[in-house]
């Protein structure tokens, strides 16, 4: 039962809120199929269905977005992650997820003072020369105030909302347990990998809750981009920064969304588009550590055609192997080499989980081949990546989460570039960098370094082989050799056998009641009901009720199985 699976009475109140929101937004059937409604009713909670009929008239993507916004910061963050999973969801869903934001009022400064005193050591007005009581912006996890340090530096103070960690941790516990039930009980959800998505969400939220970690990310990226003088990353003031608060330099620039001011200030929009692309491509292709959410709200344009990036709570990481595979994919797309693209994508999606790989490979090759002879300036790299993920989605294949985040960043970057310059072409900007990085990989020094690393790893493995063989033989002699076999859905089969045994036991009890009641009916004397022996009559009534329950249980089980198929 789900209530045992949840295993934490402290989360029942939050579970009731979540289930109520889902029911009101037209997901009552899902709530019942997951067992949430039965579990809550047994625990004494009743689900409300206010406005469910009105909300049910909306399209499913809209219903889902509204439900997520009402559920709070954890679910909004999950929706923002799903907005980058074009390999799992269609365009209508992605468009709705991209609109997600939390409708949250700012926390009054009086409610923040106790936390600020703990983190700063005194009242903010005493620590800073000036501290604005009204926030510049408020989000679901933190809010931002402007201030000036005693040294005269203009800064922003980012403050985590009090109590937000406890709320998020409770939501993550519930999501993890519900995802486990959904993955086993709702086969249609398995291609979406709910447990993997929840783990990805948990990692992302844990990083965002630590505001000091955001500053470490900013400094790492600032060091990587130091070779680009036209790119600015806000300076961190570590003397004020802790887990629940960070202080960074205030950026006085034009927000990336205000393109009219860019032109009015006389900035070169074409140059800004190229410089932004160079910065993000360097982060992704060369450094393997990149700003994972480069939307217009996180970008500012400054005098001198400089660009500033802010908010490094969400970053992406790419291993050296992933970067090499990415280079092959992007070069394959830009230079129209379909086999290279197909090889990389098939490696990324694993064994295909039953997909027809020959058909998939043919579709990818046909997709890339259609661009043969197309001028480089006419290639829309972001759209090409989006189309490739559509092909994967149609084959029910999912990309690893780090690559989905990367593709989202690419698509966002190309959209920003075209906003600045309608003639902007990501492929034109990317090709020189891709070729430069590829050439650097095959220089003698780089080849020698990789050969030495490969040789060292090979020698380490060879050195370990005798020890491993000796340990295996020793365990075999002692009879301690173990063979682990994992059978998929074994627990589900056990549950089905348990239910079948329960129904069989009930059927035997019903049969015994019928036989026993028939015998009692032939015995004269004793109490009567409606002119019949009372115990015989009650036995027949119990048998009828048990039979009705048994038939209903069998019908519901068959109906649920047919629905899953």
């Amino acid at each position: 039962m789900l209530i045992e699976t949840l295993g934490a009475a402290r989360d029942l109140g939050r579970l009731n809120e979540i289930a109520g929101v889902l029911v009101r937004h037209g997901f009552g059937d899902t709530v019942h199929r997951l067992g949430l409604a039965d579990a809550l009713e047994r625990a004494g909670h009743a689900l409300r269905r206010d406005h469910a009929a009105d909300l049910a008239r909306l399209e499913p993507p809209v219903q889902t977005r509204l439900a997520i916004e009402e559920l709070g910061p954890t679910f909004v963050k999950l929706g923002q992650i799903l907005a980058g999973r074009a390999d799992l969801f269609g365009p209508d869903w992605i468009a709705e997820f991209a609109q997600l934001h939390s409708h949250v009022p700012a926390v009054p400064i009086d409610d923040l003072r106790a936390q600020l005193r703990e983190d700063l050591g005194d009242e903010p007005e005493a620590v800073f020369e000036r501290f604005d009581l009204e926030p510049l912006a408020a989000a679901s996890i933190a809010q931002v105030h402007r201030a000036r340090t005693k040294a005269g530096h203009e800064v922003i103070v980012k403050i985590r909302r009090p109590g937000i960690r406890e709320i998020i941790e409770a939501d993550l516990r519930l999501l993890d347990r519900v995802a486990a039930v959904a993955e086993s009980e709702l086969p249609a959800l398995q291609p979406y990998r709910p447990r993997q998505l929840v783990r990805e969400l948990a990692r992302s939220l844990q990083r965002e809750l630590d505001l000091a970690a955001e500053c470490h990310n900013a400094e790492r990226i600032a060091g990587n981009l130091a070779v680009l003088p036209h790119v600015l990353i806000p300076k961190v003031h570590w003397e004020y920064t802790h887990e629940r608060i960070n202080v960074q330099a205030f950026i006085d620039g034009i927000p990336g969304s205000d393109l009219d001011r860019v032109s009015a200030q006389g900035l070169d929009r074409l140059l800004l588009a190229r410089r932004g692309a160079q910065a993000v491509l360097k982060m992704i292709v060369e450094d393997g550590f990149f700003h994972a959410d480069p939307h217009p709200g996180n970008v500012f344009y400054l005098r001198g055609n400089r660009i500033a990036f802010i908010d490094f709570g969400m970053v992406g990481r790419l291993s050296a192997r992933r970067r090499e595979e990415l280079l092959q994919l992007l070069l394959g797309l830009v230079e129209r080499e379909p086999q290279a693209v197909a090889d990389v994508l098939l490696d990324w999606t694993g064994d295909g989980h039953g997909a027809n790989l020959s058909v998939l490979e043919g579709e990818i090759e046909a997709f890339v081949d259609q661009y043969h002879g197309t001028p480089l300036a006419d290639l829309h790299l972001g759209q090409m990546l989006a189309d490739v993920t559509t092909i994967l989605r149609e084959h029910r294949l999912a990309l690893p989460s780090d690559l989905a985040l990367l593709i989202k960043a690419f698509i966002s970057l190309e959209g920003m570039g075209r906003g600045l310059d309608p003639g902007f072409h990501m492929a034109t900007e990317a090709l020189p960098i891709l070729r430069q990085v590829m050439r650097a990989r095959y220089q003698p020094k780089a080849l020698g370094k990789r050969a030495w690393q490969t040789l060292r790893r090979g020698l380490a493995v060879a050195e370990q082989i005798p020890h491993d063989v000796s340990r295996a033989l020793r365990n075999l002699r002692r009879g301690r050799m173990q063979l682990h076999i994992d059978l998929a859905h074994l627990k589900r089969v056990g549950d089905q056998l348990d239910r079948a045994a329960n129904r069989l036991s009930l059927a035997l009890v019903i049969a015994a009641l019928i036989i026993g009641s028939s015998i009692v009916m032939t015995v004269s004397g004793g109490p009567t009901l409606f002119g019949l022996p009372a115990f015989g009559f009650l036995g027949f009534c119990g048998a009828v009720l048990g039979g009705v329950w048994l038939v209903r249980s069998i019908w519901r089980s068959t109906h649920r199985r047919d629905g899953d198929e």
Side-chain angles (χ1 to χ4, degrees):
M1 307 304 292
L2 182 62
I3 196 67
E4 285 81 16
T5 304
L6 289 170
R10 58 180 172 167
D11 295 335
L12 273 176
R14 179 58 175 158
L15 178 61
N16 187 40
E17 294 176 15
I18 293 170
V21 170
L22 292 177
V23 168
R24 288 200 303 276
H25 286 272
F27 299 101
D29 181 61
T30 301
V31 170
H32 284 278
R33 292 185 70 183
L34 288 174
L36 295 176
D38 294 339
L40 287 168
E41 287 169 7
R42 285 196 301 275
H45 294 267
L47 291 177
R48 299 178 58 191
R49 291 169 171 80
D50 315 28
H51 312 300
D54 296 335
L55 292 166
R57 300 190 186 100
L58 300 173
E59 292 296 321
V62 179
Q63 286 179 329
T64 304
R65 175 177 61 80
L66 293 174
I68 287 174
E69 288 180 347
E70 188 174 342
L71 286 169
T74 308
F75 294 84
V76 169
K77 187 64 182 177
L78 175 60
Q80 291 170 345
I81 289 174
L82 297 180
R85 300 308 302 264
D87 55 321
L88 298 180
F89 296 92
D92 294 344
W93 288 88
I94 296 298
E96 288 298 326
F97 289 143
Q99 297 180 42
L100 278 169
H101 55 282
S102 298
H103 298 285
V104 290
V107 178
I109 190 62
D110 290 339
D111 295 340
L112 293 173
R113 287 192 180 278
Q115 179 176 304
L116 286 171
R117 282 195 298 269
E118 289 181 18
D119 293 333
L120 295 174
D122 204 342
E123 296 290 347
E125 293 89 347
V127 174
F128 297 99
E129 180 180 300
R130 190 197 76 247
F131 182 86
D132 292 352
L133 300 182
E134 290 298 320
L136 283 175
S140 54
I141 292 179
Q143 63 188 52
V144 175
H145 293 253
R146 189 172 175 180
R148 182 188 297 122
T149 67
K150 295 290 183 64
H153 301 296
E154 292 292 329
V155 297
I156 59 102
V157 182
K158 190 171 185 178
I159 308 164
R160 195 174 76 191
R161 286 176 170 267
I164 192 66
R165 178 179 285 279
E166 290 73 19
I167 295 172
I168 287 176
E169 287 178 349
D171 285 347
L172 288 174
R173 285 194 299 270
L174 292 172
L175 276 173
D176 182 60
R177 292 158 186 155
V178 171
V181 175
E183 203 163 88
S184 62
E185 298 296 330
L186 302 176
L189 293 180
Q190 289 179 2
Y192 298 96
R193 303 178 185 179
R195 298 198 74 182
Q196 179 180 320
L197 287 173
V198 171
R199 286 193 293 270
E200 179 185 345
L201 169 67
R203 287 193 300 268
S204 179
L205 280 172
Q206 291 297 336
R207 288 194 293 263
E208 288 202 39
L209 283 170
D210 186 353
L211 300 188
E214 176 187 335
C215 292
H216 286 295
N217 294 337
E219 288 203 332
R220 179 174 173 180
I221 290 179
N224 292 338
L225 297 182
V227 296
L228 301 178
H230 49 266
V231 176
L232 175 65
I233 307 296
K235 178 186 175 182
V236 178
H237 292 262
W238 285 106
E239 63 271 29
Y240 308 108
T241 296
H242 304 283
E243 179 188 348
R244 298 184 300 187
I245 185 173
N246 71 40
V247 178
Q248 303 175 53
F250 173 75
I251 300 297
D252 186 13
I254 302 171
S257 56
D258 194 353
L259 298 180
D260 290 337
R261 282 184 61 195
V262 173
S263 300
Q265 294 290 331
L267 300 181
D268 189 336
R269 293 171 59 156
L270 279 67
L271 182 58
L272 289 172
R274 286 202 303 275
R275 286 181 168 178
Q278 290 169 2
V280 176
L281 285 169
K282 183 184 185 306
M283 284 190 274
I284 293 173
V285 178
E286 292 187 27
D287 306 326
F289 189 80
F290 59 95
H291 195 309
D293 197 19
H295 63 75
N298 288 335
V299 178
F300 286 85
Y301 303 123
L302 314 176
R303 286 177 296 180
N305 294 310
R306 294 182 301 152
I307 299 175
F309 293 94
I310 65 168
D311 193 356
F312 295 90
M314 184 187 294
V315 294
R317 296 168 174 82
L318 291 175
S319 65
R321 179 183 173 186
R322 278 276 194 259
R323 293 204 297 277
E324 184 174 351
E325 293 168 344
L326 175 65
L327 284 171
Q328 294 172 4
L329 174 70
L330 295 178
L331 281 172
L333 288 173
V334 171
E335 297 182 340
R336 280 81 81 186
E337 295 180 359
Q339 188 58 53
V341 175
D343 289 344
V344 173
L345 289 175
L346 291 177
D347 285 343
W348 282 353
T349 53
D351 59 9
H353 303 284
N356 190 327
L357 297 184
S358 61
V359 173
L360 172 63
E361 185 172 355
E363 288 188 17
I364 293 173
E365 290 187 2
F367 164 74
V368 178
D369 192 59
Q370 70 180 317
Y371 294 100
H372 182 74
T374 303
L376 188 64
D378 292 339
L379 291 179
H380 294 180
L381 188 56
Q383 185 59 49
M384 291 174 74
L385 289 170
D387 291 342
V388 167
T389 57
T390 299
I391 294 174
L392 296 179
R393 184 177 67 250
E394 291 172 351
H395 285 266
R396 301 174 72 86
L397 296 173
L399 289 171
S401 59
D402 57 339
L403 296 168
L405 201 62
L406 169 70
I407 289 176
K408 176 190 175 185
F410 258 107
I411 295 172
S412 299
L413 176 61
E414 185 164 52
M416 285 185 60
R418 290 188 181 278
L420 287 165
D421 172 18
F424 174 80
H425 297 282
M426 174 67 81
T428 305
E429 299 299 328
L431 187 57
I433 296 177
L434 296 175
R435 286 177 173 167
Q436 177 184 345
V437 173
M438 188 62 76
R439 282 195 299 268
R441 287 189 54 79
Y442 292 100
Q443 289 180 352
K445 183 177 179 180
L447 287 172
K449 181 179 179 181
R450 290 201 299 276
W452 168 245
Q453 290 174 344
T454 302
L455 177 61
R456 189 173 58 185
R457 286 195 297 267
L459 291 173
V461 171
E463 183 182 2
Q464 192 69 18
I465 288 175
H467 174 69
D468 292 340
V469 172
S470 174
R471 184 170 55 184
L473 291 174
R474 185 167 56 251
N475 289 336
L476 185 61
R477 285 196 300 268
R478 295 176 180 176
R480 293 170 55 188
M481 183 67 73
Q482 296 180 346
L483 179 64
H484 295 279
I485 301 176
D486 291 330
L487 297 178
H489 308 301
L490 184 60
K491 182 180 182 302
R492 190 175 181 183
V493 173
D495 291 342
Q496 290 173 342
L497 290 174
D498 187 49
R499 286 195 294 269
N502 290 338
R503 289 174 187 157
L504 181 59
S505 300
L506 180 60
L508 291 174
V509 171
I510 293 170
L513 280 173
I514 292 173
I515 294 171
S517 299
S518 299
I519 294 173
V520 171
M521 285 290 189
T522 64
V523 178
S524 59
T528 60
L529 281 174
F530 306 110
L532 299 172
F535 293 110
F537 180 78
L538 292 175
F540 274 121
C541 289
V544 169
L545 291 174
V548 169
W549 184 91
L550 181 61
V551 170
R552 180 174 176 270
S553 174
I554 294 172
W555 181 86
R556 287 182 64 186
S557 176
T558 305
H559 181 69
R560 185 182 299 115
R561 185 166 58 251
D562 291 342
D564 291 342
E565 293 173 355

